[in-house]
């Protein structure tokens, strides 16, 4: 029912996580994320990851929903793995000798050409296909030694590197899962209300919290509208002959302008009319107003928060007393 | 009751968009304001709900003058439905949108829930309370806007071309709600479609910021020349009468054919 791609991943189900007060979930998420950054022991991080999987199971949300947010980060994760694997020195775990021969080079080029021509047939997951082929090319260099050798080199994987990359990757994945858990179990409007209530003390340092939260909720409301609108404009411009797929740099600039100018004009007008509509319905900025969303701390909220805080204190305590966690 | 006395307004100095308008609308009346693009209808509506401040003249709502001091309070007496369904949907869901006007007036939550239930039913949107505006049709969004206004119980509702961006089905749905409100609320409907004006108690015709006609529909529609001069399309039935009158001078079949040909393609 929700098409909001930024905050609107909300997935309706009936679980204890859905029933928690948004404030509990927001605070809990923040504390857990900080804790994750404090952990530095692979076993403990694996434990945290396992606990997160249990949480996900208890949320009654299909796991595929979580994969979506992981998918967006795969490139980043892969880069991290490669970086950590090869740039950490220490005990050697495995060493590979590569020989670049004429045969290898020819096969490599053939694969590249095939990959290029397969673009019409295989359209999905091309990035992964590319990675697999790349790995295969390197693998070939360790086994095929025929042909004239062009270069010899070796790569080593160190124990340190393997551990660090595992830690970093698990940490990022856990982090993504935990934050998806918040957005999947909480309606955008409730996240907004929760943040507003949590930010209330900020008014003592002169922040206009009610206006800020109105801005957030209007953003929440209009992001999908604007995205739809951008889609419509792209189509309209395409029908006028603007080609958004091809073109050199200068043409690209013109294309972007042909999207931005109408977007800006329409948004300006929208804001103007929306302001009128809000004022006509009695909105006075920063005035006292009630809220339809009911936030109420219940026993389960206190228990959850207590648990999270205890966990956090334990981590800090162990850290301070030099335990390797 | 709405009373406007000698009202004038201009966006820029020199061009008066509203020019000494005086008009009185009784409680429970259904009034249609007609006028060509740019004749000042929307400007008049915005003046009535206090979104714009008049240069001179007065507006009285239920006998109380509308000015800076009273505007926040008097806004509870009047509501306006705008033309663009998207640009007046404030809430993230239908429920939040209907609640918006109530939240602004500090209604307690229980009261809000009761009113949302009552008025979402009245506009037939009770099954859509959790929906986002993205998943609603234009007509549905306009009905939500109406519910959001009815919930805080104003006496006067202005519909500023509220159906002009809707498909025929949406127009029908919104008009249905409007006719349900007839007699219960003072309704001011703004349009440039004469056919929508037939059913109203009274029709005001605006031209260049002035009200040039103010009478029951039957009398207003008889002022063919004045309507044409204010660039309004005349009623379909009036067109037919005009056509029949025009054919009186035709002598033979060929002339009639010629005439029909011209009539069809003149527009
Ligand atoms: N915000 C504004 N700033 C300056 N001029 C404006 C503004 N809004 C409207 N006008 C001008 O005031 C005149 C009356 O506009 P208004 O919107 O009241 O007409 P209208 O009768 O509602 O027309 P329509 O049928 O197109 O809605 C027009 O000439 C218009 O260009
Ligand atoms: Mg208008």
């Amino acid at each position: 029912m929700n098409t909001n791609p930024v905050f609107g991943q909300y997935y309706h189900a009936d679980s204890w996580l859905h029933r928690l007060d948004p404030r509990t979930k927001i605070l809990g998420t923040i504390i857990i994320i900080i804790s994750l950054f404090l952990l530095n022991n692979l076993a403990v991080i694996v434990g945290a990851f396992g606990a997160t999987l249990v949480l996900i199971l208890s949320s009654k949300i299909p796991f595929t929903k979580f994969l979506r947010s992981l998918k967006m980060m795969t490139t980043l994760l892969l880069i991290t793995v490669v970086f950590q694997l090869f740039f950490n020195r220490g005990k050697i775990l495995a060493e590979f000798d590569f020989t670049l021969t004429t045969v290898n080079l020819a096969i490599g080029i053939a694969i590249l050409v095939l990959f290029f021509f397969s673009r019409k047939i295989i359209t999905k997951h091309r990035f992964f296909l590319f990675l697999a082929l790349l790995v295969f090319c390197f693998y070939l260099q360790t086994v095929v030694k025929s042909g004239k050798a062009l270069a010899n080199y070796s790569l080593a994987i160190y124990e340190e590197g393997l551990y660090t990359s595992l830690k970093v990757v698990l940490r990022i994945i856990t982090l993504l899962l935990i934050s998806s858990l918040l957005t999947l179990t909480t309606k955008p409007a409730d996240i907004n209300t929760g943040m507003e209530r949590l930010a209330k003390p900020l008014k003592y340092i002169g922040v206009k919290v009610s206006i800020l939260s109105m801005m957030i909720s209007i953003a929440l409301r209009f992001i999908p509208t604007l995205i739809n609108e951008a889609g419509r404009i792209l189509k309209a411009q395409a029908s006028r002959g603007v080609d958004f797929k091809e073109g050199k740099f200068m043409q690209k600039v013109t294309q972007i302008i042909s999207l931005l100018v109408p977007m800006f004009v329409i948004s300006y007008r929208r804001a103007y009319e929306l302001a009128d509509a809000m004022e006509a319905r009695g909105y006075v900025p920063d005035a006292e107003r009630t809220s339809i969303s009911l936030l109420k701390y219940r026993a389960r909220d206190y228990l959850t928060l207590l648990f999270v805080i205890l966990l956090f204190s334990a981590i800090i305590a162990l850290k301070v007393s030099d335990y390797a966690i | 009751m709405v009373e406007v006395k000698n009202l004038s307004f201009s966006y820029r100095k020199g061009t008066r968009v509203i020019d000494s308008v005086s008009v009185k609308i009784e409680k429970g009346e259904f009034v249609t304001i007609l006028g060509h693009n740019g004749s000042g209808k929307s400007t008049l509506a915005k003046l009535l709900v206090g979104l714009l401040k008049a240069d001179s003249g007065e507006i009285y709502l239920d006998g109380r003058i509308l000015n800076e001091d009273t505007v926040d309070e008097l806004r509870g007496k009047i509501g306006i439905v705008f033309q663009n369904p998207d640009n007046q949907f404030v809430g993230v869901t239908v429920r939040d949108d209907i609640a918006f006007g109530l939240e602004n007036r500090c209604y307690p939550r229980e009261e809000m829930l009761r009113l949302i239930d009552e008025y979402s039913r009245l506009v037939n949107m009770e099954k859509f309370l959790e929906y986002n505006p993205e998943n609603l049709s234009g007509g549905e969004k306009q009905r939500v806007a109406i519910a959001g206004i009815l919930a805080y119980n104003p006496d006067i509702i202005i519909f500023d071309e509220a159906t002009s961006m809707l498909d025929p089905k949406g127009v029908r749905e919104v008009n249905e709600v409007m006719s349900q409100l007839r007699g219960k609320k003072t309704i001011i409907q703004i349009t440039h479609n004469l056919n929508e004006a037939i059913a109203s108690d009274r029709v005001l015709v605006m031209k260049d910021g002035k009200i040039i006609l103010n009478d029951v529909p039957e009398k207003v529609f008889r002022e063919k020349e004045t309507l044409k001069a204010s660039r309004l399309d005349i009623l379909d039935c009036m067109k037919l009468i005009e056509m029949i009158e025009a054919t009186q001078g035709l002598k033979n079949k060929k002339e009639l054919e010629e005439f029909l040909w011209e009539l069809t393609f003149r527009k």
Side-chain angles (χ1 to χ4, degrees), chain A residues 1-3 187-189 214 217-218 220-222 224-225 228 269-270 272-274 276-284 288-294, chain B residues 46 51 72 75 80 82 84 86-92 96-97 99-107 109 112-113 116 130-135 152:
Chain A
M1 218 184 290
N2 202 316
T3 49
K187 289 181 197 150
M214 182 55 72
S217 89
I218 292 202
L220 281 173
R221 151 73 184 88
F222 278 96
T225 312
N228 284 349
R269 196 198 154 113
R270 215 184 254 297
Y272 187 90
E273 291 186 16
L274 184 74
D276 270 354
M278 287 171 67
E279 196 184 335
R281 279 158 77 182
Y283 180 68
V284 180
E288 185 76 35
R289 59 199 299 271
T290 49
S291 172
I292 183 80
S293 351
L294 175 72
Chain B
K46 284 185 188 172
L51 288 172
D72 283 342
R75 273 209 183 115
I80 180 165
F82 292 97
N84 191 324
D86 260 321
N87 297 355
Q88 53 187 320
F89 203 109
V90 187
V92 179
D96 289 353
D97 193 65
F100 183 74
L102 304 172
E103 291 175 327
N104 293 335
R105 292 177 174 81
C106 291
Y107 278 59
R109 185 167 181 271
M112 282 198 248
L113 290 175
I116 291 170
E130 297 303 328
Y131 273 58
N132 303 106
E134 293 312 295
N135 304 310
Y152 65 80

Side-chain angles (χ1 to χ4, degrees), chain B residues 1 11 113 174 187:
Chain B
M1 192 191 69
Y11 288 101
L113 290 175
V174 171
I187 296 176

Side-chain angles (χ1 to χ4, degrees), chain A residues 180-318:
Chain A
S180 303
L181 207 53
L182 171 68
T183 50
L184 279 165
T185 61
T186 323
K187 289 181 197 150
D190 287 343
I191 296 184
N192 182 35
T193 321
M195 290 206 285
E196 180 189 346
R197 302 285 163 84
L198 285 176
K200 219 156 213 170
L202 289 182
K203 73 174 178 217
Y204 296 114
I205 57 165
V207 180
K208 298 221 182 302
V209 178
S210 64
I211 293 183
L212 201 69
S213 111
M214 182 55 72
M215 278 162 59
I216 297 174
S217 89
I218 292 202
L220 281 173
R221 151 73 184 88
F222 278 96
I223 285 168
T225 312
L226 291 179
I227 290 175
N228 284 349
E229 199 138 81
R232 269 202 299 277
I233 292 171
L234 284 178
K235 276 190 200 133
Q237 302 288 36
S239 77
R240 289 190 181 83
V242 181
D243 189 347
F244 284 91
K245 288 211 185 75
E246 322 260 307
K248 301 220 175 57
F249 179 71
M250 274 320 285
Q251 282 165 300
K252 280 260 186 285
V253 171
T254 343
Q255 287 157 11
I256 289 171
I257 289 175
S258 77
L259 172 68
L260 284 186
V261 169
M263 278 301 280
F264 183 77
V265 172
I266 293 170
S267 303
Y268 181 79
R269 196 198 154 113
R270 215 184 254 297
Y272 187 90
E273 291 186 16
L274 184 74
D276 270 354
M278 287 171 67
E279 196 184 335
R281 279 158 77 182
Y283 180 68
V284 180
D286 214 23
E288 185 76 35
R289 59 199 299 271
T290 49
S291 172
I292 183 80
S293 351
L294 175 72
L295 296 190
K296 206 169 163 198
Y297 273 132
R298 289 166 208 277
R300 54 171 174 260
D301 293 297
Y302 289 113
L303 281 177
T304 310
L305 268 185
L306 188 70
F307 180 74
V308 173
I309 289 171
L310 279 180
L311 200 69
F312 185 66
S313 320
I315 290 172
I316 299 271
L318 288 171

Side-chain angles (χ1 to χ4, degrees), chain A residues 272, chain B residues 11-12 17 35-43 161 192:
Chain A
Y272 187 90
Chain B
Y11 288 101
R12 272 175 245 97
V17 177
H36 190 262
N37 285 334
S39 55
K41 307 180 298 288
S42 297
T43 308
E161 299 190 41
H192 30 210

